[in-house]
Amino acid sequence: MQLPKLYKTLIALGLAGQVAAQTPLVVQVNKPKADVQPTMWGLFFEDINMGADGGLYAELVKNRSFEFTTPLMGWRESRSTKSTGSVLVINRADQPANPRFLRVKTDGEKYGLINEGFRGMGIKQGVGYDFSILSKNVEGNLTLKLELVNGEGQVLGTASLPLTSNDWKKHSVSFTASKTEPKAKLNIWFEGKGTADLDMISLFPKDTWKNRPGGLRADLVQLLADMKPGFLRFPGGCIVEGYDLDRRYQWKNTVGPIEARKGEINRWNTEFKHRLTPDYFQTFGLGFFEYFQLSEDIGAEPLPILNCGMACQYNSGEVVPVDELDPYVQDALDLIEFANGSTDTKWGKLRAEMGHPKPFNLKLLGIGNEQWGPQYIDRYVVFEKAIKSKYPNVRLISSAGPNPDGEVFGFLSGKLRELKADIVDEHYYRSPQWFMENANRYDDYDRKGPKIFAGEYASQSKDIASQNNKNTWLCALSEAAFMTGLERNADMVHMASYAPLFAHADGWQWTPDLIWMNNLQSYGTPNYYVQKLYSTNKGTKVLPITANNEWVAGKNKLYASATWDEPTKEIILKLVNTSDQAQTETINLEGVKKLDSKAKRWTMKGAELDSENSFENPKQVSPTEEELAVKGTKLNLTLAPQSFSVIRVKVVK
Ligand code: AHR
């Protein structure tokens, strides 16, 4: 076949199937703009999708202290036909945070309790497990025989634990698992004759993050730490607000000894009829102390969000009268004392008793989550006045509501600008198209207004909050395009985080999510790798990058941003090609005399736009790294169709 002449020429130039660049891109390295805030790229944690209990919090026993609405949810009895063994649920008045315990009576015949875990228990061969229980002998002496078993009843680990105390006392024993099993169960057999009271029945792996007893799942924290996040927002999300005010998140219930933390139903338990999760509760083993500690561990600024006297407006929407807000405001003031106060203050002392005498250095605090309407503004101003008069340096995050535009958004943005709010939290759960079309969202924002926290965003492949949304490459690519606009406008966008963070494959309510897990494994989605490329290649100053003196924000389906990184003296480029054609680009780095002869490049690209990662293929869509040869002060690059590239090149003298 005779090839057309032009096509032959293109092949000779290596450009067949490519769109040649229209004009060079220009980076004004000599004209650095705003600082990129250290907080720029962070994490949004919410206890949704079994993110805390059954997820990050490594406890394996579900309903360990029988406080779920149905006291024996997650438990069942097992017995021989002759056994007259029984359990009685007792509710005592003197321990309001942990009222229930079990009275077990057995006659020497085979009798026991089985805990099913959170969709089973993930058990790993060779790993040690710490079992503990609070117990009190009532009559006789019982010994617990513990067994971890798989679906076939095969024992994977076992231990014996005599219950020796006539007063409430913690009894513990450790053992090692002989086999890996994703869905094990825990059998507790009662040996001997007698009656004993039992509470706080717990099983933790020893291989937690930093090997902390009763700690967090190490694989999940590692994924977070690898992102080098600028902040950690916790604990949500709508979880802060509660279905109604009684069920709101109250941080004081989540600190102190774990047996004294008052649990709560999880508001995602019955939120979605199509994803009912009736066994979803909050034990608060992962509470505010642990969130502060986690933030510190991963080098992130802690950003707690507090209830502002309003329940979730998608649910009851009830509010506290403004003149009865005092306890809510006091919670905020006390939280600052808990995080930062000296150890001779009431709350600073508790922090020290929990193992952290040094302050956590809290600088950011969220007032309400996704609130809206004048009722929010009325309450926000009360918090603002009280907090700023005592702690003027704490920066407050306020809500712009659940949508990035429209009447509700317009009202709140206007009011918060009038109030000179510090930082406004904007949320966008929108289509990939929206993300690509809104990369220029902040280019013309009022520079005199509050700073922006892009607090929750995720491209929705199907529809907002649809159960059919997937973490596809197209979604991640569209977020990468949008994020060039956040970075370019870092003078006003001070913080950004994808949402939600975690989802358990067997217990989720909301999709898409940044990280998926089951009882043993976890993986980052394509969206995770996009976030990680941004947060690990942040830079310290914004550099203007233009084509024909215009921002590179979608023309020819190309998006770009650039930063300067002062510690490493590197220029960092982010280039997103959303077209289905390759694009060749010349990038002029103006104001630079000499570049290192080698640059680093990371490229992300999915085989298809709907490519996803999975437990079987966790890094199918993830960055590949290569070295680029650099000549002079220009870069010549080919951007593959529908790809995201990050380039770091060092300026040398
Ligand atoms: O991220 C899931 C939910 O989406 C959050 O709880 C809420 O803030 C938003 O509506």
Side-chain angles (χ1 to χ4, degrees):
M1 193 179 78
Q2 194 70 20
L3 289 174
K5 201 169 161 212
L6 173 64
Y7 196 66
K8 278 188 189 162
T9 317
L10 285 174
I11 290 177
L13 290 171
L15 290 176
Q18 303 183 4
V19 172
Q22 313 300 312
T23 38
L25 304 186
V26 176
V27 181
Q28 291 173 295
V29 184
N30 51 350
K31 292 198 179 143
K33 297 282 182 202
D35 288 342
V36 179
Q37 298 299 312
T39 50
M40 182 73 190
W41 309 112
L43 298 171
F44 162 84
F45 177 87
E46 174 161 27
D47 188 3
I48 187 172
N49 302 319
M50 279 174 41
D53 288 14
L56 187 56
Y57 185 51
E59 172 67 88
L60 294 168
V61 174
K62 184 164 75 182
N63 193 12
R64 65 184 172 195
S65 67
F66 316 104
E67 307 301 340
F68 286 18
T69 319
T70 310
L72 285 180
M73 187 177 261
W75 295 93
R76 80 187 152 80
E77 294 171 274
S78 182
R79 65 174 76 245
S80 70
T81 42
K82 284 197 211 145
S83 161
T84 58
S86 63
V87 288
L88 184 66
V89 178
I90 302 182
N91 191 320
R92 62 199 143 185
D94 62 342
Q95 291 200 32
N98 178 18
R100 293 200 192 121
F101 64 90
L102 278 197
R103 177 156 294 174
V104 172
K105 193 171 179 184
T106 184
D107 57 7
E109 298 294 336
K110 188 166 186 181
Y111 178 66
L113 289 172
I114 301 174
N115 189 274
E116 66 187 23
F118 298 88
R119 312 298 186 275
M121 297 177 182
I123 300 299
K124 285 171 269 174
Q125 183 178 13
V127 169
Y129 288 84
D130 296 329
F131 175 89
S132 64
I133 186 168
L134 285 180
S135 76
K136 180 175 101 169
N137 292 342
V138 179
E139 195 179 87
N141 283 308
L142 299 183
T143 292
L144 305 185
K145 171 123 190 276
L146 309 170
E147 291 173 348
L148 277 172
V149 293
N150 64 14
E152 285 79 52
Q154 187 187 3
V155 177
L156 317 172
T158 184
S160 272
L161 181 63
L163 303 181
T164 54
S165 175
N166 294 334
D167 285 317
W168 282 109
K169 189 183 160 209
K170 183 170 173 177
H171 296 73
S172 315
V173 65
S174 300
F175 57 97
T176 300
S178 58
K179 214 173 165 185
T180 295
E181 164 62 43
K183 289 188 182 280
K185 292 191 180 2
L186 174 67
N187 293 341
I188 304 175
W189 301 111
F190 301 101
E191 295 182 336
K193 270 189 194 177
T195 304
D197 291 342
L198 314 176
D199 201 0
M200 295 299 289
I201 304 179
S202 169
L203 184 71
F204 271 90
K206 281 187 185 289
D207 66 345
T208 54
W209 172 252
K210 290 187 179 283
N211 297 319
R212 284 194 188 116
L216 307 181
R217 242 177 85 166
D219 60 327
L220 297 176
V221 181
Q222 192 60 56
L223 281 165
L224 305 185
D226 291 346
M227 293 176 79
K228 301 196 190 319
F231 64 90
L232 175 69
R233 168 180 163 176
F234 58 87
C238 296
I239 197 92
V240 171
E241 307 164 57
Y243 184 93
D244 52 27
L245 285 166
D246 274 353
R247 285 178 271 177
R248 72 188 188 277
Y249 195 102
Q250 299 190 55
W251 75 267
K252 287 176 181 164
N253 291 341
T254 77
V255 292
I258 55 166
E259 62 278 11
R261 299 184 190 180
K262 191 174 179 323
E264 187 53 84
I265 194 166
N266 188 300
R267 55 96 65 221
W268 296 105
N269 186 305
T270 50
E271 181 71 12
F272 294 124
K273 300 291 165 273
H274 54 275
R275 296 292 309 174
L276 290 176
T277 323
D279 59 342
Y280 197 5
F281 285 73
Q282 303 173 86
T283 62
F284 299 126
L286 172 53
F288 261 41
F289 178 86
E290 290 76 18
Y291 285 122
F292 279 116
Q293 192 177 46
L294 172 61
S295 307
E296 185 174 82
D297 287 351
I298 61 177
E301 290 293 341
L303 166 52
I305 307 285
L306 293 181
N307 187 293
C308 64
M310 299 177 71
C312 184
Q313 287 161 280
Y314 289 115
N315 300 143
S316 72
E318 62 181 16
V319 298
V320 173
V322 173
D323 60 2
E324 291 175 26
L325 264 179
D326 277 2
Y328 291 75
V329 174
Q330 195 57 47
D331 274 357
L333 298 173
D334 291 343
L335 179 64
I336 300 171
E337 185 177 291
F338 177 73
N340 297 352
S342 84
T343 53
D344 48 22
T345 62
K346 176 180 172 190
W347 293 102
K349 181 164 175 276
L350 176 61
R351 183 191 70 240
E353 283 164 6
M354 291 183 76
H356 202 287
K358 279 205 291 190
F360 282 118
N361 202 10
L362 174 72
K363 303 182 191 100
L364 300 162
L365 184 61
I367 306 303
N369 172 46
E370 225 173 39
Q371 324 300 158
W372 66 82
Q375 63 268 48
Y376 174 60
I377 299 295
D378 292 347
R379 283 156 188 78
Y380 172 77
V381 292
V382 178
F383 277 84
E384 192 195 35
K385 189 162 172 232
I387 295 169
K388 289 287 183 182
S389 60
K390 194 159 182 201
Y391 299 107
N393 295 330
V394 171
R395 303 186 79 204
L396 299 182
I397 313 291
S398 47
S399 161
N403 296 308
D405 42 37
E407 215 174 298
V408 163
F409 177 84
F411 170 78
L412 289 168
S413 303
K415 285 284 175 199
L416 292 165
R417 195 174 308 126
E418 275 169 31
L419 291 169
K420 300 194 186 328
D422 293 329
I423 306 177
V424 175
D425 179 12
E426 299 188 356
H427 293 182
Y428 353 90
Y429 293 98
R430 287 291 185 270
S431 66
Q433 193 63 27
W434 185 94
F435 277 92
M436 291 186 274
E437 284 168 0
N438 281 273
N440 57 1
R441 175 178 175 90
Y442 295 108
D443 292 346
D444 300 320
Y445 246 53
D446 174 8
R447 262 41 203 176
K448 296 195 194 92
K451 303 302 177 197
I452 300 298
F453 172 26
E456 293 185 29
Y457 57 88
S459 182
Q460 314 279 295
S461 65
K462 190 87 183 160
D463 210 348
I464 300 175
S466 160
Q467 60 177 320
N468 298 318
N469 286 329
K470 304 278 183 216
N471 284 98
T472 65
W473 170 235
L474 173 62
C475 289
L477 183 71
S478 70
E479 288 150 9
F482 179 74
M483 290 163 78
T484 58
L486 300 183
E487 187 164 85
R488 178 170 54 250
N489 290 287
D491 60 318
M492 55 179 321
V493 181
H494 280 195
M495 308 167 75
S497 46
Y498 183 96
L501 186 56
F502 288 122
H504 192 293
D506 297 332
W508 60 272
Q509 298 81 40
W510 180 292
T511 179
D513 304 285
L514 201 63
I515 293 169
W516 285 82
M517 65 180 130
N518 58 27
N519 287 344
L520 289 175
Q521 303 157 284
S522 50
Y523 69 86
T525 56
N527 318 69
Y528 169 87
Y529 288 104
V530 164
Q531 296 294 319
K532 185 175 164 193
L533 277 177
Y534 269 90
S535 60
T536 55
N537 293 288
K538 188 165 48 198
T540 51
K541 290 257 181 212
V542 179
L543 296 176
I545 177 167
T546 52
N548 268 334
N549 290 321
E550 281 176 21
W551 300 129
V552 187
K555 195 165 178 192
N556 297 329
K557 304 201 172 191
L558 185 68
Y559 302 80
S561 58
T563 55
W564 168 253
D565 191 46
E566 183 57 29
T568 59
K569 310 278 184 233
E570 285 174 309
I571 300 161
I572 306 174
L573 304 173
K574 301 185 179 92
L575 298 156
V576 185
N577 175 17
T578 62
S579 87
D580 56 7
Q581 302 288 305
Q583 303 206 43
T584 57
E585 297 297 339
T586 300
I587 304 171
N588 293 336
L589 301 169
E590 280 187 3
V592 170
K593 289 207 183 93
K594 200 169 171 209
L595 293 174
D596 200 354
S597 58
K598 287 175 196 149
K600 265 196 188 150
R601 176 181 185 168
W602 294 264
T603 308
M604 274 188 78
K605 185 175 163 32
E608 307 291 339
L609 283 175
D610 60 3
S611 295
E612 295 173 67
N613 291 341
S614 62
F615 293 111
E616 296 70 38
N617 203 345
K619 291 196 172 168
Q620 170 157 254
V621 189
S622 61
T624 52
E625 194 180 327
E626 67 187 304
E627 214 170 70
L628 290 181
V630 179
K631 279 194 194 139
T633 57
K634 278 188 187 160
L635 297 176
N636 292 305
L637 300 171
T638 299
L639 305 176
Q642 285 140 349
S643 68
F644 171 39
S645 302
V646 177
I647 293 119
R648 287 185 87 113
V649 57
K650 195 174 170 72
V651 173
V652 288
K653 287 203 175 147

